[in-house]
Amino acid sequence: MSEPLVIAGRAFRSRLILGTARYPNLQVMLDALEASGTEIVTVAIRRVRPGADGENLYDLLKDRYFILPNTAGCFTARDAILTAHLAREALGTNWIKLEVIGDEETLYPDTEQLLQAAAELVKDGFVVLPYCNDDPVVCKKLEDMGCAAVMPLGAPIGSGMGILNPYNIRLIRQMCTVPVIVDAGVGTASDVAIAMELGCDGVLLNTAVAQARDPVKMARAMRLAVEAGRLAYEAGRIPRRLYAVPSSPMEDRIEI
Amino acid sequence: MSEPLVIAGRAFRSRLILGTARYPNLQVMLDALEASGTEIVTVAIRRVRPGADGENLYDLLKDRYFILPNTAGCFTARDAILTAHLAREALGTNWIKLEVIGDEETLYPDTEQLLQAAAELVKDGFVVLPYCNDDPVVCKKLEDMGCAAVMPLGAPIGSGMGILNPYNIRLIRQMCTVPVIVDAGVGTASDVAIAMELGCDGVLLNTAVAQARDPVKMARAMRLAVEAGRLAYEAGRIPRRLYAVPSSPMEDRIEI
Amino acid sequence: MSEPLVIAGRAFRSRLILGTARYPNLQVMLDALEASGTEIVTVAIRRVRPGADGENLYDLLKDRYFILPNTAGCFTARDAILTAHLAREALGTNWIKLEVIGDEETLYPDTEQLLQAAAELVKDGFVVLPYCNDDPVVCKKLEDMGCAAVMPLGAPIGSGMGILNPYNIRLIRQMCTVPVIVDAGVGTASDVAIAMELGCDGVLLNTAVAQARDPVKMARAMRLAVEAGRLAYEAGRIPRRLYAVPSSPMEDRIEI
Amino acid sequence: MSEPLVIAGRAFRSRLILGTARYPNLQVMLDALEASGTEIVTVAIRRVRPGADGENLYDLLKDRYFILPNTAGCFTARDAILTAHLAREALGTNWIKLEVIGDEETLYPDTEQLLQAAAELVKDGFVVLPYCNDDPVVCKKLEDMGCAAVMPLGAPIGSGMGILNPYNIRLIRQMCTVPVIVDAGVGTASDVAIAMELGCDGVLLNTAVAQARDPVKMARAMRLAVEAGRLAYEAGRIPRRLYAVPSSPMEDRIEI
């Protein structure tokens, strides 16, 4: 019913992107992904050892989902660029969710390094989706240098605090024309609905589903919430008013 | 998938209750009710003149929906009790959504009159669903006197401000065992999701759908939001944390 | 510099009212009261045993402060009325801070019993200051029956959560002409400033000072906060805007 | 009573810094500065034309206040650096409040350019106080490169929305050791108190005072609010609790 999400010319019916980390086990993850209706899943790239579980994860997912590799755990532009190139070689995709972390505790981005890495990866032909601060100026720069979307955080990764600064998300939506996808901080269904009601084009989440008491049920909740929020955005909500206006005025009563 | 909403022994699959006032026209109302998935609709009772539109409205709805008459526009216990009796006679139902208004501008309830009316109507064999303040003490009293549910307001009727005091709604949920249904104040989908995530059993709304730019689309949004919020509540959300926890730790990476 | 607070024709320079419970010891209490600049202190009335500490407390305070007895711990109108009469006899004051509690855990008021007690005490010649919900309809009723002020709660007593529903406090301020004094829920200085900025005439607090790590320092903070909030209210704040307006436009620069 | 604010080894008794733009007229500005108790005032530097009002402003203020020139209106590192050097020459101070704006509408900083400018100015011997995002990673970088303080924004300049993301301000306070001064976004006294309660060392504001209906009264409010918030921070507030704890327990009552 709603418009599809289009990133770099590619259309997706679902506006939800899910991570693949921190699930109780593989089967729960697969069931949750299925229940969420997502078409895109992100996977972190480990560059150290070849083999084992990681490959299995990729094999399990690659026929069913559009795989979006990410550079989680990279703390410098150089490291992130290298990881992106390895991902392109290994997975045969030029899409990259770009993370350059600036602080081990909060996992907030390092904006300076992120901008450098994004510029170089765009030049190298990548479809770059950068995880960034809720900073309108940085988002505009990322768009201007050719990023395919911007992915501002709602709150620290894994914090579950929702959208701490909805004003900034709204400003980003107004200043950018590429898709705006809230990435990180979401805790529950209403957070997702709020993101969509602010006009965002999608939401990326991981911990909120993977670490819920019942991840599959939460995945279904998130699927419905992203649709509910999008529909509400498109439907045009009533304005907020301090003073009430009666919803059952005299003229609407049943006469008996 | 979720448990049904049970009020006074009667089960409903939908946890959404819709009002019938303030729609652009009758057809939009019917389409919005359909899109919302609701099974219960409230209608205001006009006692003055017999005939005309009100009856038509009732006839239009009665085969498709469970009709819940309300006492909107009553400012005294006496007036509300009389209206409830007239509704029972005319519509053949002993269910009543009890409103006793205390202020013309905000349409806030008159708690004192409400308690009197509720006590008498329960004694008279009604299934009483009172619209009340977000006051845990009043809600407990209403439950103790035999009301079938409590319907605390989220914000003033028609204000669209959402749940102004989620702490009180949570306290009410903890102190009462009858269904808690947030009534009034909802503006958009996320408000509904928040109500359900607080543990409420349902949401009653009217203006947020009827006065949206696209009421039918907003009705669909509300349907999905109530389900999303309920599922999220049942799924058990992650805790909020000030400090982030990484969702893509080293051990979860794909090895390439 | 600001107008005095006038209750029942009596003027007070300080807009802060302090309770006398829960301090680490008597000396800290006296120092905190002094530091707060308050002129009115509330004392709870115990009706059971005569003698001992309570009297000492009263003797310690009565020459320095205007003593406002309260009916803390009363759960019925009858109990509160009796307590008020005993206070009048024992302390020689017809002022009473009226509390009728409806729930042992949250200490929320029992509105029904409160209204009964207030009506009777007003008839009996008391200057009644009722602790009540943040319910504009109840506040208007209390004013209409002759209460000298209304004292809506900001949050549950001792919770330190601040003003949970500023909209209701603002509505109460608009609907009543007697002084509106926020009572209960305040946690820190900014909560007090917010109450005053909403147009309230005063703030009553106890736990926030008595249980602070340094009660005397917190008392000073509260004194300054109530003045700051009042001045800001009177000074007329700038409007909130989503979009920024530069505060250092070109024409204001120093030319060098 | 509180500790002084120490920046770059220089101690100030007041924790409030005021701007000098947008006042109704010069006399109101002077009266407001006096009423605020501030010791530091910022002035924007215009490089274009010599002469006239700007110089008068400087002459009016220089004997009474510590003058902090700022680079308002600069959109590149190069422009800001040049302006800082001109200010040093003209005003004989090596202190600079560094602003590098990234967007004309919101006046949000350009983080990338800001970091470059800050690094160079520190190297050139300036005492640099950068106006920056509420981004803990950027603030830590600014501290590490030798800035004398960090000045994260609470909300867009002139917006009056207060502290939009108190979590980030708290994280900045935890991660940095230099003074943290909230700069921009403050609207009224409680916003200032909140900033101080979060542990900030000071607040810089301009529009909230200059454009208030009564700037001098608002300046007094801000003076008291900054002291109230600081004292409350030092006094150690009570924790927030969902459930109430009675502040007038039985054992504290007066016995009569």
Side-chain angles (χ1 to χ4, degrees):
Chain A
M1 196 170 180
S2 283
E3 296 283 300
L5 166 64
V6 180
I7 306 175
R10 184 166 186 139
F12 302 93
R13 286 179 313 281
S14 168
R15 291 174 176 278
L16 201 54
I17 304 176
L18 253 70
T20 52
R22 316 194 96 227
Y23 288 85
N25 61 56
L26 216 54
Q27 190 55 51
V28 168
M29 184 194 79
L30 291 172
D31 292 347
L33 293 180
E34 179 68 30
S36 77
T38 190
E39 295 164 71
I40 309 175
V41 298
T42 66
V43 294
I45 302 301
R46 167 183 289 172
R47 299 182 331 274
V48 190
R49 303 177 298 128
D53 293 355
E55 282 175 19
N56 291 342
L57 177 63
Y58 178 70
D59 290 338
L60 271 168
L61 297 172
K62 72 175 196 294
D63 294 333
R64 182 92 182 73
Y65 299 102
F66 182 85
I67 304 293
L68 177 62
N70 70 54
T71 63
C74 294
F75 282 77
T76 62
R78 199 170 166 280
D79 198 14
I81 290 165
L82 182 59
T83 303
H85 278 276
L86 288 168
R88 181 159 67 177
E89 268 176 63
L91 308 182
T93 177
N94 65 339
W95 287 51
I96 191 76
K97 190 200 150 195
L98 180 62
E99 298 187 24
V100 189
I101 302 303
D103 172 57
E104 284 193 32
E105 205 158 34
T106 61
L107 300 177
Y108 272 126
D110 182 324
T111 294
E112 221 182 1
Q113 296 284 315
L114 178 73
L115 288 166
Q116 285 176 32
E120 181 151 339
L121 289 170
V122 167
K123 221 183 309 166
D124 291 343
F126 282 87
V127 173
V128 179
L129 292 82
Y131 158 69
C132 55
N133 278 328
D134 59 353
D135 176 341
V137 173
V138 165
C139 287
K140 190 78 186 91
K141 284 194 182 196
L142 289 165
E143 165 170 312
D144 288 347
M145 68 174 57
C147 289
V150 291
M151 308 186 76
L153 58 84
I157 291 176
S159 69
M161 293 208 287
I163 311 251
L164 292 181
N165 192 336
Y167 297 96
N168 273 4
I169 298 296
R170 192 173 297 173
L171 286 169
I172 291 166
R173 178 59 294 172
Q174 289 173 358
M175 286 169 65
C176 294
T177 56
V178 293
V180 175
I181 296 169
V182 165
D183 179 4
V186 162
T188 187
S190 56
D191 297 337
V192 166
I194 288 168
M196 299 307 292
E197 289 164 2
L198 289 168
C200 292
D201 301 275
V203 176
L204 188 157
L205 53 82
N206 188 344
T207 307
V209 165
Q211 298 274 303
R213 206 174 53 227
D214 182 338
V216 179
K217 193 172 259 193
M218 188 56 92
R220 284 222 324 130
M222 294 306 193
R223 174 188 198 149
L224 297 173
V226 82
E227 292 176 19
R230 182 67 185 182
L231 284 167
Y233 172 71
E234 292 176 3
R237 61 158 293 157
I238 58 170
R240 286 183 183 83
R241 304 178 185 91
L242 179 52
Y243 279 174
V245 174
S247 65
S248 297
M250 304 303 273
E251 62 271 31
D252 292 311
R253 296 198 201 173
I254 282 193
E255 299 155 339
I256 59 179
Chain B
M1 196 170 180
S2 283
E3 296 284 299
L5 166 64
V6 180
I7 305 174
R10 183 164 187 142
F12 301 93
R13 286 179 314 280
S14 169
R15 292 173 174 278
L16 200 55
I17 304 177
L18 254 70
T20 52
R22 319 195 92 229
Y23 288 86
N25 62 56
L26 215 55
Q27 191 56 50
V28 168
M29 185 195 79
L30 291 172
D31 293 346
L33 293 179
E34 180 67 30
S36 76
T38 189
E39 294 164 72
I40 309 175
V41 299
T42 66
V43 294
I45 303 301
R46 167 183 289 173
R47 298 183 330 274
V48 191
R49 305 176 298 129
D53 293 356
E55 282 174 20
N56 291 342
L57 177 63
Y58 179 70
D59 290 338
L60 272 168
L61 297 171
K62 71 175 196 293
D63 295 332
R64 182 89 184 74
Y65 299 102
F66 182 84
I67 304 293
L68 177 61
N70 70 54
T71 63
C74 294
F75 282 77
T76 64
R78 198 169 167 281
D79 199 14
I81 291 165
L82 184 59
T83 303
H85 278 277
L86 288 169
R88 180 158 68 177
E89 268 176 63
L91 308 182
T93 177
N94 65 340
W95 288 50
I96 190 78
K97 190 202 150 194
L98 180 62
E99 298 186 24
V100 189
I101 302 303
D103 172 57
E104 284 193 31
E105 206 158 32
T106 61
L107 301 177
Y108 271 126
D110 183 324
T111 295
E112 220 181 2
Q113 296 284 315
L114 178 73
L115 288 165
Q116 285 176 31
E120 182 150 338
L121 288 170
V122 167
K123 220 183 308 166
D124 290 344
F126 281 88
V127 173
V128 179
L129 291 82
Y131 157 68
C132 56
N133 278 328
D134 60 352
D135 176 341
V137 173
V138 165
C139 287
K140 190 78 187 91
K141 284 193 181 195
L142 289 165
E143 166 170 312
D144 288 346
M145 68 174 57
C147 289
V150 291
M151 307 185 78
L153 58 84
I157 291 177
S159 69
M161 292 208 288
I163 312 250
L164 292 181
N165 191 336
Y167 296 97
N168 274 4
I169 299 295
R170 192 173 297 173
L171 286 169
I172 290 167
R173 179 59 293 172
Q174 288 173 358
M175 286 169 64
C176 295
T177 56
V178 294
V180 175
I181 296 169
V182 165
D183 179 5
V186 162
T188 187
S190 56
D191 297 337
V192 167
I194 288 169
M196 299 306 292
E197 289 164 1
L198 289 168
C200 292
D201 301 276
V203 176
L204 188 156
L205 54 83
N206 188 344
T207 307
V209 164
Q211 298 275 302
R213 205 173 54 225
D214 182 340
V216 180
K217 193 173 259 193
M218 188 57 92
R220 283 221 326 128
M222 294 305 193
R223 174 188 198 149
L224 297 173
V226 82
E227 292 176 19
R230 182 67 185 182
L231 284 167
Y233 172 70
E234 292 175 5
R237 62 159 292 158
I238 57 169
R240 285 183 184 83
R241 303 179 184 90
L242 178 53
Y243 281 175
V245 175
S247 66
S248 298
M250 304 302 273
E251 64 270 28
D252 291 312
R253 295 198 203 175
I254 282 193
E255 297 154 343
I256 59 179
Chain C
M1 197 170 180
S2 283
E3 296 284 299
L5 166 65
V6 179
I7 306 175
R10 183 165 186 139
F12 302 93
R13 285 179 315 278
S14 168
R15 293 174 174 277
L16 200 54
I17 304 177
L18 254 71
T20 52
R22 319 193 94 230
Y23 288 86
N25 61 56
L26 216 54
Q27 191 55 51
V28 168
M29 186 194 78
L30 292 172
D31 293 347
L33 293 180
E34 180 67 29
S36 77
T38 189
E39 294 164 72
I40 308 175
V41 299
T42 67
V43 294
I45 302 301
R46 167 183 288 170
R47 298 183 331 273
V48 191
R49 305 177 297 129
D53 293 356
E55 282 175 19
N56 292 342
L57 177 62
Y58 178 70
D59 289 338
L60 272 168
L61 298 170
K62 71 174 196 294
D63 295 332
R64 181 90 183 73
Y65 299 102
F66 182 84
I67 303 293
L68 177 61
N70 70 55
T71 64
C74 294
F75 283 78
T76 63
R78 199 171 166 279
D79 199 15
I81 291 165
L82 184 58
T83 303
H85 279 277
L86 288 169
R88 180 158 66 177
E89 268 177 63
L91 308 183
T93 177
N94 64 339
W95 288 51
I96 191 77
K97 191 200 149 195
L98 181 61
E99 298 186 25
V100 190
I101 302 303
D103 172 58
E104 284 192 33
E105 205 157 33
T106 61
L107 301 177
Y108 272 126
D110 183 325
T111 295
E112 221 181 1
Q113 296 286 315
L114 178 72
L115 288 166
Q116 284 176 33
E120 183 151 337
L121 289 171
V122 167
K123 220 183 310 165
D124 290 345
F126 282 88
V127 173
V128 179
L129 293 81
Y131 158 69
C132 56
N133 278 327
D134 60 352
D135 176 341
V137 173
V138 164
C139 286
K140 190 79 188 91
K141 284 193 182 196
L142 290 165
E143 165 170 312
D144 287 347
M145 69 175 56
C147 288
V150 291
M151 307 185 79
L153 58 84
I157 291 176
S159 70
M161 293 207 288
I163 312 251
L164 292 181
N165 191 336
Y167 297 97
N168 274 4
I169 298 296
R170 192 173 298 174
L171 285 169
I172 290 167
R173 178 59 292 173
Q174 289 173 357
M175 286 169 65
C176 294
T177 55
V178 293
V180 175
I181 296 168
V182 165
D183 178 4
V186 162
T188 187
S190 55
D191 297 337
V192 166
I194 288 169
M196 300 307 293
E197 288 164 1
L198 289 168
C200 292
D201 302 275
V203 176
L204 188 156
L205 54 83
N206 188 342
T207 307
V209 164
Q211 298 275 303
R213 206 174 51 227
D214 182 339
V216 179
K217 193 173 260 194
M218 188 57 92
R220 284 221 325 129
M222 294 305 193
R223 174 188 198 148
L224 298 173
V226 82
E227 292 175 20
R230 182 67 184 183
L231 284 168
Y233 173 70
E234 293 175 4
R237 60 159 291 157
I238 57 168
R240 286 182 183 83
R241 306 179 184 88
L242 178 51
Y243 281 175
V245 174
S247 65
S248 297
M250 304 304 272
E251 63 270 30
D252 291 313
R253 296 200 202 172
I254 282 192
E255 298 154 341
I256 59 179
Chain D
M1 198 171 177
S2 284
E3 296 284 300
L5 166 64
V6 179
I7 305 175
R10 185 168 185 137
F12 301 93
R13 286 180 313 279
S14 168
R15 291 173 176 278
L16 201 54
I17 304 176
L18 254 70
T20 52
R22 316 192 96 228
Y23 287 86
N25 60 57
L26 215 55
Q27 190 57 50
V28 169
M29 185 194 78
L30 291 172
D31 293 347
L33 293 179
E34 179 67 30
S36 77
T38 190
E39 294 163 72
I40 308 176
V41 299
T42 66
V43 294
I45 302 300
R46 168 183 286 169
R47 300 182 329 274
V48 190
R49 303 179 298 127
D53 291 357
E55 282 175 20
N56 292 342
L57 178 61
Y58 178 70
D59 290 337
L60 271 167
L61 298 171
K62 71 175 197 292
D63 295 333
R64 181 91 183 74
Y65 299 102
F66 182 85
I67 304 292
L68 177 61
N70 70 54
T71 63
C74 294
F75 282 78
T76 62
R78 199 171 166 279
D79 198 13
I81 290 164
L82 183 59
T83 303
H85 279 277
L86 289 167
R88 183 161 63 178
E89 268 176 63
L91 308 183
T93 177
N94 64 339
W95 289 50
I96 191 78
K97 189 199 151 198
L98 180 61
E99 298 187 24
V100 189
I101 301 304
D103 172 57
E104 284 193 32
E105 205 157 34
T106 61
L107 300 178
Y108 271 126
D110 182 325
T111 295
E112 220 181 3
Q113 297 284 315
L114 178 72
L115 288 166
Q116 285 175 31
E120 182 151 338
L121 288 170
V122 167
K123 221 182 309 164
D124 290 345
F126 281 88
V127 173
V128 179
L129 292 82
Y131 158 68
C132 56
N133 278 327
D134 60 352
D135 176 340
V137 173
V138 165
C139 286
K140 189 78 185 92
K141 283 193 183 196
L142 289 164
E143 164 170 312
D144 288 347
M145 69 175 57
C147 289
V150 291
M151 308 186 76
L153 58 85
I157 291 177
S159 69
M161 293 208 288
I163 311 251
L164 292 181
N165 193 336
Y167 296 97
N168 274 4
I169 298 295
R170 191 173 299 172
L171 286 169
I172 291 166
R173 179 58 293 171
Q174 289 173 358
M175 286 168 65
C176 295
T177 55
V178 293
V180 175
I181 296 168
V182 165
D183 178 4
V186 161
T188 186
S190 56
D191 297 337
V192 166
I194 288 169
M196 299 306 293
E197 288 165 1
L198 289 167
C200 292
D201 301 274
V203 176
L204 187 157
L205 53 82
N206 188 345
T207 307
V209 164
Q211 297 275 303
R213 207 174 51 227
D214 182 339
V216 180
K217 194 173 258 194
M218 188 57 92
R220 283 221 325 130
M222 294 307 193
R223 174 188 198 148
L224 297 172
V226 82
E227 292 175 20
R230 182 66 185 183
L231 284 167
Y233 172 71
E234 292 175 4
R237 60 159 292 157
I238 57 170
R240 287 183 183 82
R241 306 179 183 88
L242 179 51
Y243 281 174
V245 174
S247 65
S248 298
M250 305 302 272
E251 63 271 29
D252 292 313
R253 295 198 202 175
I254 282 192
E255 298 154 340
I256 59 179

